Amino acid sequence: MDLRNIAIIAHVDHGKTTLVDNILRATKVFRDNQDTGDLIMDSNDLERERGITIFSKNAAVTYKDVKINVIDTPGHADFGGEVERVLKMADGVILLVDAFEGPMPQTRFVLQKALHLNLKPIVVINKVDKPNCRPDEVHDAVFELFFQLDATEEQLDFPTYYGSGKQGWFNETLEPFENINPLLDGILKHVPPPHINKGTLQMQITSLDYSSFLGRIAIGKVGRGVIKEGQQIALMQPEGVVKKIKVKELYVFEGMGKKKVSEVLAGDLCAVVGIDDFNIGDTISDVENQEALPSISVDEPTMSMTFGINNSPFYGKDGKFVTSRHLRERLWKEMEKNLALKVEESEGGDSFIVFGRGILHWVFW
Ligand code: GDP
C-alpha cells in the first residue's frame, strides 16, 4: 500500500487538534452517525486542562488509497530527545501557524530538528477566517524563520496552504474551498513515500506505549523487511547485547487507535507487543542477519527535585497516597513511559531524587 508518514508541528492553540479532527472526518474515520465530540486529539484530560501536548500520539487515515500516518509532536523544546525520535518516523512535516499570531519562538526548536532531519515541510496558515488575520505577512515570517534555521533551498520552496480548520477548508490560495482535500492532495504530492532499504527485518524503537494488559509496547517505523506475529527477533542493544525474543502481537495505527495485524511491511509504523525488556534506540533485527542501527540518545536530565513523604505534624490528616511506597510506585510507573525521567532512591528509602528536563517535564504531576 502506498504510504506517507507526516508529523505535525504547531504552537499551542494554533489549531492542531481541529486540523486532525478535520483530517479524520474528511477520511471518514467516523461513521456518519457517530458522535465524535470536538477536539479529538486532546483525549488526555490533563493535557486538555493544561493546554499542552505532552504525549505523542499517532493517527492514521486512508485518502485516495494512500495510508497517511499522522504523527503528533510535542510543540515545545523541553523533551529534546523525544522530539527527535518522534520526527525520525516522518518523511514530511506540516508546520501549522495561526494567520494572526504567526510562527512562535516555542516551535523553533522542533522545527529546526525537522529541517535538519531533512523532512519535507508543508506550511499551513490556519484561522484565515479571523477578522484581523495577516496571512501574507505570516507567510513571509515563516520563510524568514526557515532561512534562519538553515533550511535547504528545496525546503525554502515550501508549499503553503491557507484556510480555516474551524470552517473546515484548506486551499492553495486564500479563496475559501468546500473541504480540506487540497491539503490532503498536497500531502500526497509533496511528502515523499518512506525510504525503504532492501534487506532483512530492521526496525528501530523510537517510542513506546504502556498498557496494563499488554505491558510495554515498542513503537517505531519498520525500516527494512517485514515483521511478523509470532516471529523470533533479535533485540539489539548497546555494547553488543542481543536478546532473542518472540513477537507476541503486532499493531498498526488506524484512525485514532491501533489495529491488530499479522505482519507489518517496511515503511509503516508499528507497535510490537512481547518485547518487554527494551530501551528506546534499540534495534529489532532479523535473527539470522543481525544488524543494529546507530542508537539514539535520550537527552540527559537538566534539573532535579527531591520528593519525600510528608513528615510534618499534620502527617496523615489528608490525602490517600501518603506513604513512600505509594510515592515509589507512582514514580516507577511514570518511568515506564517517561523516558527522559530518572529517579534515585535516598539511602533510607524515604525520599527520591527525580531528574527531569525543565519545568514542563513536571506538568504531568
Ligand atoms: P491546538 O492547541 O493547536 O490543538 O488548537 P485547537 O485545535 O484546540 O484550537 C485552539 C482554539 O482555536 C480553539 O478554540 C479552536 O476552536 C480555535 N480554532 C482552531 N482552528 C481555527 C480556525 O481556523 N479559525 C478560528 N477562528 N479558530 C480556530
Side-chain angles (χ1 to χ4, degrees), residues 101-314:
E101 285 195 337
M104 302 297 276
Q106 291 88 334
T107 52
R108 215 183 141 95
F109 175 84
V110 184
L111 181 63
Q112 181 164 35
K113 292 266 180 193
L115 293 173
H116 287 180
L117 286 169
N118 213 16
L119 304 189
K120 174 81 194 180
I122 293 179
V123 173
V124 177
I125 300 186
N126 189 30
K127 306 198 188 186
V128 301
D129 60 286
K130 275 171 123 182
N132 299 324
C133 69
R134 39 187 197 99
D136 293 332
E137 280 171 52
V138 167
H139 176 270
D140 292 351
V142 171
F143 182 89
E144 180 61 32
L145 177 61
F146 274 42
F147 188 76
Q148 283 173 14
L149 297 178
D150 293 329
T152 62
E153 285 290 320
E154 203 196 337
Q155 287 172 329
L156 283 173
D157 198 20
F158 55 85
T160 307
Y161 293 82
Y162 300 88
S164 163
K166 195 171 183 174
Q167 295 176 343
W169 65 273
F170 288 99
N171 200 357
E172 284 168 287
T173 64
L174 280 162
E175 192 67 37
F177 199 75
E178 64 200 30
N179 54 38
I180 67 160
N181 290 3
L183 175 60
L184 293 171
D185 288 327
I187 294 173
L188 302 196
K189 182 172 162 197
H190 298 292
V191 177
H195 178 75
I196 294 165
N197 296 313
K198 282 208 163 41
T200 51
L201 169 65
Q202 210 179 31
M203 165 182 155
Q204 186 151 44
I205 302 173
T206 44
S207 181
L208 87 175
D209 207 344
Y210 181 78
S211 145
S212 42
F213 297 109
L214 303 170
R216 297 177 84 213
I217 304 170
I219 296 172
K221 178 161 81 172
V222 181
R224 221 173 65 176
V226 50
I227 183 164
K228 295 183 177 168
E229 189 185 20
Q231 179 183 1
Q232 196 80 18
I233 56 100
L235 179 71
M236 309 197 60
Q237 302 188 305
E239 288 162 25
V241 177
V242 179
K243 295 172 185 158
K244 289 192 184 158
I245 302 168
K246 194 172 156 183
V247 172
K248 272 198 206 132
E249 290 179 13
L250 280 176
Y251 294 82
V252 289
F253 294 94
E254 188 176 86
M256 285 303 292
K258 295 191 185 92
K259 181 173 85 167
K260 195 165 177 297
V261 290
S262 54
E263 63 174 36
V264 184
L265 303 178
D268 207 352
L269 309 187
C270 92
V272 187
V273 174
I275 327 180
D276 287 334
D277 197 13
F278 65 84
N279 289 306
I280 294 299
D282 292 354
T283 304
I284 292 176
S285 163
D286 184 81
V287 176
E288 303 297 322
N289 183 26
Q290 296 178 2
E291 279 179 276
L293 290 156
S295 68
I296 324 170
S297 61
V298 173
D299 289 0
E300 287 299 311
T302 51
M303 63 179 283
S304 68
M305 261 169 93
T306 302
F307 285 60
I309 55 168
N310 185 353
N311 52 9
S312 85
F314 300 108

Side-chain angles (χ1 to χ4, degrees), residues 11-18 126-127 129-130 164-166:
H11 182 62
V12 63
D13 268 356
H14 281 199
K16 180 162 62 178
T17 310
T18 311
N126 189 30
K127 306 198 188 186
D129 60 286
K130 275 171 123 182
S164 163
K166 195 171 183 174

